[in-house]
Amino acid sequence: MITARTSGRLAALVAAALLAASAPALATETPTHVEGELASGATWVMDVPENWNGTLLLFSHGYQAAGGPNPAENAPSDEAARIALDEGYALIGSSYATTGWAVEQAVPDQLATIDEFTARFGPARRTIAWGQSYGGLVTTTIAERHPDRVDATLSMCGLVQGGVANWNSTLDPAYAVKTLLAPESDYPLTGFADAQQASQAATAMTGVVERAQTTPQGRARIALAAALHNIPGHNDPAQPEPGERDWEAQQRNQYEVMTRFPVTAMQWRQEAESRAGGNMSWNTGVDYARMLADSPHAPEIAALYDAAGLSLRDDLDALARAPRIEADPGAVDYMTRHVAFTGRLSAPQLDIHTTGDGLVPVQVTSAHRDAVERAGSGDLLRQAFVDRPGHCTFTAGEQLAALHALETRLDDGVWRGTDPAELNAAAEAEQPGAGHAYLRFRPTPYPRPYDLAE
């Protein structure tokens, strides 16, 4: 007779057999580190611990400027890699075949790296893709377009608004700086002939911003340009945190981002345009007055304009009257085909973002959330936020806590452990004393969303 006890034993034996059947085909007796090269020319790196738990973590690294170093990476930091390997995860990642805006190359290179791993170590029981910054864009592209290759995805400080929205939003501050601070200048904002012209334009715009910072009027206009991109007033851990209404200190912090912004807005843009075959962004039909009204920085701008004796209405009218920029349809089509998001998810995704990100402002998560909800995939997405200035300034514990929350969703079929207190407790267990800072937060709307959600 089968009793409850023997039934339980049978169930355990069956579960053990199923686990053995799904375990890696090739176990490693010692920790293994291997490097290699794909047919595309991309390099890859793999680390497999001797106690591999069967879960494979595919890491997508951030943006590497054209012509710069392009090493393969398989974790967001050495500390995160150490913790993950100690816990039994296998880590892999590729360099991508090219630097720059290489999503077209990055996605197949990442998938080919999974294939390389499988050939060497056997199939993983579970594959989770994680990536940071531009790598979050790559990770989300894999989630939407190759859902059969991964079981879940984690985007950390990622460009989850998609490529078209990213370049549209990047155009807006540059347009405001040129219109309000250098209306007689002739440097282009889009359609660069080559990298040299883009570099010259970036140098010219940086000079405009630096000179403007010397007057109250210039500072107010810099703040307005920054607000159109939602650049926060505390965006670097090295900055003293301004008071809630210390507009001058907030503007100084935004200015630091704006002096670096022309490189992104022009030099990185030019490289992306060379891939897309033209300009992939536009501001025709954009209402900048409405955009500012929806910005969390609107009170700051009003105060700075009032202190400078400037008319904010006059400057908004100037933005409305100035010649607008039209996109090249073929370039928009390229960017849409490769990296505009539908919002349709087939597996769980967790987005984490710092609240004080000056390069990829936290509002990008609003664009992703809205697209996913419209596509009917809202139950597969969760987002969590860390109260800290800077781009990708997570602790390793915060990243591993997010990873474990994602695994819980896979194991249980429901989201657990994504409450800020739970995430902080999990992060502390991973990395004691690192000052983890998840908090309850809902970002304001993204200023210029663009997606393919149905």
Side-chain angles (χ1 to χ4, degrees), residues 6-48:
T6 57
S7 176
R9 288 175 178 170
L10 285 172
L13 289 171
V14 171
L18 290 173
L19 180 61
S22 63
L26 299 174
T28 60
E29 297 181 357
T30 59
T32 303
H33 174 88
V34 288
E35 300 180 18
E37 184 173 316
L38 299 173
S40 67
T43 58
W44 52 257
V45 60
M46 301 177 185
D47 286 285
V48 185

Side-chain angles (χ1 to χ4, degrees), residues 253-268:
N253 293 343
Q254 291 167 323
Y255 162 73
E256 291 183 16
V257 176
M258 289 298 295
T259 59
R260 302 187 298 270
F261 189 78
V263 171
T264 303
M266 295 172 168
Q267 291 175 257
W268 294 8

Side-chain angles (χ1 to χ4, degrees), residues 234-246:
H234 188 210
N235 54 70
D236 188 321
Q239 298 166 341
E241 183 172 4
E244 185 178 354
R245 299 178 66 82
D246 189 348

Side-chain angles (χ1 to χ4, degrees), residues 226-293:
L228 297 180
H229 195 58
N230 277 332
I231 295 172
H234 188 210
N235 54 70
D236 188 321
Q239 298 166 341
E241 183 172 4
E244 185 178 354
R245 299 178 66 82
D246 189 348
W247 312 125
E248 291 79 9
Q250 292 182 32
Q251 191 278 334
R252 284 194 300 272
N253 293 343
Q254 291 167 323
Y255 162 73
E256 291 183 16
V257 176
M258 289 298 295
T259 59
R260 302 187 298 270
F261 189 78
V263 171
T264 303
M266 295 172 168
Q267 291 175 257
W268 294 8
R269 172 186 288 279
Q270 184 275 328
E271 195 278 337
E273 286 184 348
S274 70
R275 293 173 179 273
N279 169 37
M280 57 282 179
S281 54
W282 66 92
N283 66 352
T284 50
V286 173
D287 185 340
Y288 286 111
R290 174 61 62 85
M291 189 183 294
L292 178 62

